[in-house]
Amino acid sequence: MPAVKPFATDHLRRIPLYIPGKPIQEVRRELGLDRVVKLASNENPWGPTEAVKARLARAIAGTEDEGLGLYPVSDGYYLRQAIARRRGLSIENVLLGNGSSEIIEMMAKAALLDGGSAVIPQHSFAIYGIATQTVGGRVLETRADLHETSVDAILAAVQSDTRLVFLGNPNNPTGVLPGRRALERLVKGLRDDIVLVVDQAYAEYEDPEGYADATAFLREREGLLVLHTFSKIHALAGLRVGYGLGSPDLLQLLERVRSPFNTNHLAQVAAEIAVQDQAFEAFSRGKNREGRQAFIAEARKHRCQVSGQGGNFLMLESALPAQDLFQELLRRGVIVRPMQGYGLPNHVRVTLGKPEDMDAFWRAAGPLLDCGC
Ligand SMILES: Cc1ncc(COP(=O)(O)O)c(C=O)c1O
């Protein structure tokens, strides 16, 4: 029997595979460990809140107009309304995705439907490139720094067929925060027919006073899409829900490539509670700040190079290749994220977890790092 040879095989093989953080169950199963600590996917260990859980329980119990047997509200009207209220925008400025990853995919699909390119800084979230290549777009990777956004490199990389520019605010995995001036230069300096996608998955971890929120530029630029997620500070990664903020015209175009019912009912009702809970955000932000300071102090004791400004993660540079350090830590029951696939062969990214999880990390990593950071 001839082997199955799907069309576009070569094209498909060139698309990098997304390698997610290893699930705890998988490490337990593979290594026969009892206690496993996951610091690999930038989840918030302090939630979800009791209010979210109570709302989920009610939704599962069901009523006449909600229940697991009914389709969800396809366009997520009520959640969009709650997000719009929180962000000081109107409901037409809000689009939901099955995680913000899905909105990145929708944006790539819509913009690169008939070809074109996307500018993506080096060491950016892998889905930007994967989504671009999946729809046949070209990736224009620009040189990037571990400490600041290289706006000149981004502007210089733009070509006549460029339709998208991706930028993390802060960037994952480097934690670089572009700041207001860099955002303003891109908002004003990019051609009008390019959509600037500013990914703010970790925005809520920043001090609201000092944070340069790209939403402030929505009135100035039609071609601007700002992304947020419920997977990080809101602690709802398992429910898969994120949102995009943009002009009604841009979002109506994205609506054409949105799958019907792309966010499920449980995700919508949980996120509707979460987006209003500013006290939980502030609590998580405080815990993250403490965790960051403690991590940097501990890294200093081991004379390790740490990088990262924003988000709920940091990167450690080690003399060991990232993959080896990752494997050694796995054997000791700690999951981190090796960064060789992000062009950083000696870096691992570590999510800031609860203090007891960070203790477990340092007990496992300390002796390995003392051999040379
Ligand atoms: C920068 C960035 N953007 C987007 C996402 C996607 O989040 P989700 O699809 O869970 O909303 C992540 C997740 O790790 C991320 O780090």
Side-chain angles (χ1 to χ4, degrees), residues 18 40-43 97-104 124-128 167-173 199-202 227-232 236-238 240-243 313 337 342 349:
Y18 182 74
S41 301
N42 301 340
E43 295 131 333
N98 195 271
S100 54
S101 306
E102 194 200 24
I103 306 180
I104 296 169
S124 287
F125 182 48
I127 300 289
Y128 308 156
L167 184 71
N169 180 26
N171 186 56
N172 171 24
D199 185 346
Q200 302 195 158
Y202 302 93
L227 301 178
H228 283 261
T229 180
F230 286 93
S231 302
K232 306 303 175 183
L236 293 174
R240 312 304 301 126
V241 55
Y243 60 98
F313 54 87
R337 201 71 166 267
Y342 287 74
R349 193 194 64 199

